Amino acid sequence: MRYRLLFITILNLSVWFNVYSQETMQIDSLIRELQEIVVTAKQPATKLVGSSLVSTVAGSNLQNAGNALDVLQQLPLISVDDNAVSVTGKGSPAIYIDGRPMRDDAELRQLQSSNIKSVELVLAPGAQYASTTNAVLKITTRKNFVHGLSISNEVETRVRRKWSVNDMLDFSYHTGKWELFGTGYYDHDNSVIKGSTLNTLTFEGKPTKVGTTFHSTYPENSALGKLGFNFSEGVQSFGAYYRFMYSHTDPLNDGTEWINTEKPLYRKISGEDDTRNHLVSLYYDNTLGDKYHLHFDGNFRGANNDKHSNTSYNNETLQAVNSTQNQNSSLWAGKLYLDFPLAGGDFTVGTQDSYTRTKLDYRMLNTSVGTYIPSSLTDAKQTSLAAFASWARQFGNFSLSAGLRYEYVDYLFTVDGKKDTDVSRTDHFLTPDISLGYFFNETSMVNLSYRMATIKPPYSQLTGGLTYAGEHEIEGGNPTLRDEKMHNLQLFGQWNDFMLQVDYIRSLYTYAFVKEIYPASSLQMLLHPVNVNVSELSTYLIWSRPIRRWIPEVTLGMSKPWMKLGNDSYDCYDKPIFSYSVQNSITLPKGFYISANMRGQSSGDMHTNRFAASWFVMDMSVRKTFFDKALAIKLTATDIFNTRNNDWSMNTYGILMNKYQSYDRRGITLSVQYQFQPKKSKYKGKAASEAEMNRL
């Protein structure tokens, strides 16, 4: 099936190329002119604008990088790991493409670097963004005036410890004021994790050790289909799309369990997981009276997950442990805002509202285990109503922005049909933000910002159910988790080729995972989240200078936490992490593009986890384009020297856990992409509730 899929795709590519070669494609003259620009060291690719880092891609070497993921990987403070984008010190960002949110990870693979105009990294998001948004990526594309049919197809195959393959087909048809667009995606992924865990503690007054070994395979087959339309006339536009996602996994974990000097037990954990996800999105956008910009977004999302798990032992006295889990989630959300000039600046006012419901039906089918891990039916309902306003203005060399967000939240949590009064609550949040910047010249500027946010924990961590993880181990959520109150003070400056970011974050009631003894008739250890207070100071120094065809970039960083769980010395988590990264991108003649990136970090603490050092990790890729960039072939090597370290430890409530694990990060990926009349979508819809989407 895998080779047949590859053969069909290659056949499609050859047919499209024949059509392409027989027609003269109308190319935007602006693109032709920008491709001839030579970037010099006097024009930095990235500069500070207010509290945002703006990177110009058009006309730089990065326009030949490949897709949007390849571009982001070479920008300051941004990292890409297996197509997952993160911002240093701020986690996963909200990503927008031409003002609309990215709802599918595949979109960054679809968007080619040659069609990207600029990338803006917002490091101090204002009141118009959800409180859980710590950073925002805004990707702006070039104008493209090609009409008619546009098709792009990419096949990617990867070999690490196992083979994986995926195929993505994207199309759009433009005629007059209307656009029809769609995406089809299939992925077969197979990953392997192996390692061991050692728990050291004192139980009933005696030193005790509990250990496991594991060899986990995680095969997954997933598919995505998306179809939508867009209408645009003058300053008015509207559109909608429907997306369906399905994934099926059959995880298998072979390993052993042991306690003290007892003979290890062979253990086999097998399971099956099916997930279905529906998303409907619609929008309306208009400009009234040449200065009032009105925008509305509406979203519905429904998700269903069925999970079965079986744990068996090679011991006749131990009965197999079986459990089932069914989770249903739904989200209705709407966002309406108005932009207009006010007092010499730009003013935005709006509302963002949502209703979310998540039901989890967990069934423990083993009678003896059910005495301490009972079956349960939990139901969480939340109504959120928010109003926000923000204002920004330039005063000579000064720039000022300020915002305020009010949110009302009504949260109802029931267990087996009964309201949990300790968890259910009604909250009122008022969160301000302010940013002040000063512009010295084109290459020197500074910005100081303060932001307060209320961050709700993910629904997956609010469940009251417990999960069997071994004869002596339990995992679960914590329905009593409180909302995090975060204060973030940030200084950002740029001087010529250097940039400096300094962040101080004080988080009250954020959550961290702990391991502690769970009350039961035998030794049971529970891994679950609890609320903690954390302070963190981080600083990053970045140097970058485009040199003809070469763009080098060096980042040096340090993150210092302060956190305590109790009064004992082992409950302090304050070891800093030092890090570095060296990124290189080189554009060569005849359509070649090369990237070589190195990174590393010391051992240090992140909340209750102490991560081991990874001093040197290297990735490299080579890309070659053909037929006026219509066909691209890319070869990527990740973790070339197999030096990435994934070990970590946790020392909480008298239990020291050391986890030694090895992921299959080392490997080679080959991708082949063909584009026929590539054109960006004009769809302007955005997410009505980014925070609730992420929590689900």
Side-chain angles (χ1 to χ4, degrees):
M1 177 64 186
R2 190 177 301 160
Y3 299 103
R4 184 184 301 171
L5 176 64
L6 185 60
F7 174 78
I8 292 174
T9 304
I10 294 174
L11 181 61
N12 289 335
L13 294 180
S14 66
V15 173
W16 292 339
F17 171 68
N18 289 333
V19 175
Y20 176 86
S21 62
Q22 293 171 12
E23 298 183 6
T24 302
M25 184 171 134
Q26 300 296 322
I27 303 178
D28 180 12
S29 60
L30 177 62
I31 294 179
R32 287 187 178 275
E33 294 176 2
L34 287 173
Q35 288 176 342
E36 299 301 322
I37 294 176
V38 177
V39 179
T40 66
K42 295 181 180 180
Q43 182 183 4
T46 300
K47 65 178 181 178
L48 181 66
V49 179
S51 60
S52 301
L53 284 178
V54 180
S55 301
T56 302
V57 177
S60 74
N61 293 350
L62 291 179
Q63 70 179 7
N64 303 310
N67 57 33
L69 289 169
D70 299 311
V71 172
L72 296 177
Q73 186 168 293
Q74 303 303 130
L75 297 182
L77 298 177
I78 301 175
S79 61
V80 179
D81 190 0
D82 281 348
N83 296 337
V85 180
S86 62
V87 176
T88 302
K90 296 183 180 293
S92 300
I95 302 177
Y96 291 78
I97 301 175
D98 287 332
R100 63 177 180 83
M102 185 195 74
R103 292 267 62 91
D104 306 325
D105 294 339
E107 288 189 52
L108 294 178
R109 285 181 53 188
Q110 296 167 346
L111 180 58
Q112 294 302 292
S113 57
S114 57
N115 292 328
I116 298 177
K117 181 180 179 181
S118 64
V119 177
E120 179 183 355
L121 174 59
V122 183
L123 295 166
Q128 64 266 41
Y129 299 102
S131 57
T132 53
T133 306
N134 292 321
V136 177
L137 268 176
K138 296 181 178 179
I139 301 174
T140 303
T141 64
R142 289 172 166 177
K143 292 183 178 180
N144 193 325
F145 302 102
V146 178
H147 292 277
L149 182 64
S150 175
I151 299 176
S152 175
N153 192 77
E154 181 179 8
V155 177
E156 181 180 274
T157 182
R158 181 180 69 206
V159 57
R160 291 181 179 176
R161 289 172 177 154
K162 299 282 186 179
W163 280 91
S164 299
V165 64
N166 61 70
D167 189 0
M168 179 172 61
L169 175 67
D170 184 60
F171 83 91
S172 63
Y173 182 76
H174 301 256
T175 174
K177 305 170 185 177
W178 292 90
E179 173 195 7
L180 180 69
F181 58 88
T183 301
Y185 180 75
Y186 170 77
D187 177 57
H188 171 73
D189 185 73
N190 204 347
S191 59
V192 176
I193 306 174
K194 57 183 180 180
S196 63
T197 302
L198 176 63
N199 300 279
T200 304
L201 67 152
T202 299
F203 179 67
E204 295 181 344
K206 299 178 181 179
T208 304
K209 291 185 177 182
V210 180
T212 61
T213 63
F214 55 91
H215 185 284
S216 301
T217 58
Y218 197 83
E220 179 178 12
N221 291 285
S222 59
L224 176 149
K226 177 180 177 181
L227 185 65
F229 76 91
N230 191 76
F231 174 84
S232 180
E233 182 179 20
V235 295
Q236 179 178 236
S237 62
F238 62 87
Y241 71 81
Y242 168 74
R243 186 196 70 186
F244 175 73
M245 297 177 63
Y246 173 78
S247 68
H248 176 83
T249 60
D250 295 287
L252 178 64
N253 183 347
D254 287 302
T256 61
E257 291 184 23
W258 56 272
I259 180 169
N260 294 328
T261 58
E262 293 182 4
K263 182 180 179 181
L265 285 170
Y266 170 75
R267 179 190 66 184
K268 179 180 179 181
I269 304 175
S270 59
E272 188 173 0
D273 196 333
D274 288 284
T275 301
R276 291 159 291 277
N277 190 308
H278 303 266
L279 175 64
V280 178
S281 178
L282 58 91
Y283 84 95
Y284 176 78
D285 190 274
N286 198 359
T287 300
L288 310 171
D290 295 329
K291 65 177 182 179
Y292 296 97
H293 174 222
L294 179 69
H295 189 96
F296 170 76
D297 287 288
N299 292 123
F300 167 76
R301 178 177 176 180
N304 175 265
N305 174 260
D306 286 307
K307 187 175 183 180
H308 305 270
S309 179
N310 174 272
T311 303
S312 58
Y313 298 89
N314 64 343
N315 188 323
E316 296 180 355
T317 62
L318 291 177
Q319 184 183 5
V321 180
N322 293 281
S323 65
T324 64
Q325 177 177 297
N326 176 263
Q327 179 173 310
N328 283 284
S329 302
S330 60
L331 164 70
W332 296 87
K335 184 176 183 179
L336 176 68
Y337 63 87
L338 182 68
D339 298 324
F340 56 91
L342 179 68
D346 298 317
F347 184 72
T348 300
V349 61
T351 180
Q352 185 173 5
D353 313 306
S354 66
Y355 172 77
T356 311
R357 184 175 186 181
T358 301
K359 295 179 66 175
L360 177 63
D361 186 2
Y362 176 79
R363 298 298 167 192
M364 169 53 66
L365 305 180
N366 183 293
T367 305
S368 59
V369 175
T371 59
Y372 60 92
I373 305 181
S375 301
S376 64
L377 175 62
T378 59
D379 191 353
K381 302 176 184 178
Q382 177 177 286
T383 300
S384 175
L385 306 174
F388 59 86
S390 62
W391 180 75
R393 183 181 174 181
Q394 192 80 25
F395 299 88
N397 286 5
F398 286 94
S399 62
L400 173 67
S401 66
L404 188 65
R405 183 183 181 94
Y406 167 77
E407 188 168 357
Y408 164 82
V409 176
D410 184 10
Y411 182 70
L412 175 63
F413 185 80
T414 63
V415 180
D416 297 326
K418 297 181 180 180
K419 178 181 177 180
D420 190 327
T421 55
D422 294 329
V423 178
S424 302
R425 58 188 180 271
T426 300
D427 291 318
H428 300 267
F429 305 128
L430 192 64
T431 52
D433 65 86
I434 187 169
S435 175
L436 178 65
Y438 185 80
F439 176 85
F440 295 97
N441 53 50
E442 288 292 334
T443 60
S444 300
M445 55 214 71
V446 66
N447 178 269
L448 180 66
S449 65
Y450 166 78
R451 175 172 175 256
M452 177 183 174
T454 300
I455 303 174
K456 305 178 188 68
Y459 284 108
S460 60
Q461 304 304 335
L462 288 172
T463 175
L466 300 175
T467 302
Y468 182 85
E471 191 181 5
H472 302 286
E473 298 197 57
I474 307 170
E475 295 179 1
N478 185 353
T480 64
L481 285 179
R482 299 177 62 179
D483 298 320
E484 175 186 351
K485 308 294 183 182
M486 183 189 74
H487 302 267
N488 184 4
L489 183 64
Q490 177 178 265
L491 174 68
F492 212 110
Q494 180 176 7
W495 178 71
N496 295 332
D497 302 322
F498 293 91
M499 287 182 288
L500 176 68
Q501 176 189 338
V502 181
D503 263 294
Y504 176 77
I505 298 176
R506 176 61 174 168
S507 295
L508 304 176
Y509 310 118
T510 188
Y511 74 90
F513 283 91
V514 299
K515 207 166 194 178
E516 58 184 324
I517 296 177
Y518 182 76
S521 58
S522 61
L523 172 59
Q524 298 293 333
M525 296 176 292
L526 172 63
L527 177 68
H528 69 137
V530 297
N531 284 123
V532 295
N533 297 334
V534 182
S535 296
E536 182 180 0
L537 176 66
S538 61
T539 179
Y540 298 94
L541 179 64
I542 306 137
W543 174 86
S544 179
R545 171 182 289 184
I547 305 173
R548 295 183 179 272
R549 298 178 179 271
W550 175 36
I551 303 180
E553 180 187 302
V554 179
T555 301
L556 302 176
M558 184 275 294
S559 176
K560 166 68 175 177
W562 289 272
M563 195 191 92
K564 289 191 70 174
L565 275 179
N567 298 321
D568 296 323
S569 59
Y570 62 76
D571 283 332
C572 295
Y573 308 89
D574 54 7
K575 185 176 182 180
I577 296 178
F578 299 92
S579 62
Y580 77 90
S581 70
V582 180
Q583 300 177 172
N584 299 275
S585 58
I586 304 172
T587 302
L588 299 176
K590 299 187 182 299
F592 280 98
Y593 176 87
I594 299 174
S595 68
N597 301 324
M598 291 77 73
R599 65 189 185 278
Q601 70 173 49
S602 68
S603 171
D605 294 332
M606 290 183 63
H607 289 186
T608 52
N609 301 121
R610 173 161 295 182
F611 291 92
S614 287
W615 289 111
F616 181 79
V617 180
M618 182 175 181
D619 304 327
M620 189 172 182
S621 68
V622 179
R623 185 173 184 265
K624 175 72 170 72
T625 58
F626 304 87
F627 312 130
D628 197 21
K629 300 184 180 180
L631 177 65
I633 299 177
K634 180 182 175 184
L635 186 66
T636 303
T638 55
D639 195 7
I640 295 174
F641 300 104
N642 200 25
T643 49
R644 178 165 175 169
N645 194 334
N646 299 288
D647 301 339
W648 56 275
S649 63
M650 175 189 294
N651 192 350
T652 60
Y653 300 123
I655 300 178
L656 172 61
M657 180 181 72
N658 288 286
K659 183 174 282 289
Y660 311 95
Q661 54 190 0
S662 172
Y663 288 85
D664 51 356
R665 300 295 188 184
R666 188 186 195 186
I668 296 176
T669 302
L670 174 66
S671 65
V672 179
Q673 183 184 59
Y674 183 81
Q675 298 184 90
F676 172 70
Q677 294 197 149
K679 180 176 177 64
K680 70 173 186 178
S681 173
K682 294 182 180 179
Y683 188 83
K684 297 181 181 179
K686 304 179 181 181
S689 182
E690 306 95 333
E692 287 302 296
M693 289 279 194
N694 294 332
R695 293 180 76 202
L696 288 174

